[in-house]
Amino acid sequence: MSDEMREEYDIKSLNPRKNPYAGKNKKAVTMNISVSTLDYFKSLADESGIPYQVLMNFYLEECVKQKKKLQFV
């Protein structure tokens, strides 16, 4: 096998699988979150090993799927 790099590579032949996340659009946002809420999700992250931002996104996606609405009393 040669140690030299080619001038050009056929990327499609290197990884023919489609990216399963390509259709999931995400947008970075900035928002103020209470310290207690942030601490809660960070503790869940410590338990699960999943980053707290990912957990928060999972939870919000579940709310969307279930069409949850807040009830103000």
Side-chain angles (χ1 to χ4, degrees), residues 1-18:
M1 185 165 227
S2 174
D3 289 337
E4 293 181 30
M5 290 189 64
R6 298 178 189 173
E7 281 191 37
E8 229 176 90
Y9 288 88
D10 181 7
I11 301 299
K12 289 183 182 180
S13 69
L14 294 175
N15 189 2
R17 296 177 292 145
K18 289 187 177 185

Side-chain angles (χ1 to χ4, degrees), residues 1-55:
M1 185 165 227
S2 174
D3 289 337
E4 293 181 30
M5 290 189 64
R6 298 178 189 173
E7 281 191 37
E8 229 176 90
Y9 288 88
D10 181 7
I11 301 299
K12 289 183 182 180
S13 69
L14 294 175
N15 189 2
R17 296 177 292 145
K18 289 187 177 185
N19 182 347
Y21 303 105
K24 297 191 181 236
N25 295 332
K26 289 188 177 183
K27 182 175 183 166
V29 297
T30 301
M31 59 190 287
N32 295 320
I33 299 173
S34 70
V35 173
S36 61
T37 300
L38 195 54
D39 288 344
Y40 173 75
F41 278 98
K42 284 184 175 184
S43 70
L44 289 178
D46 289 341
E47 291 174 22
S48 66
I50 299 171
Y52 74 93
Q53 299 98 326
V54 173
L55 291 174

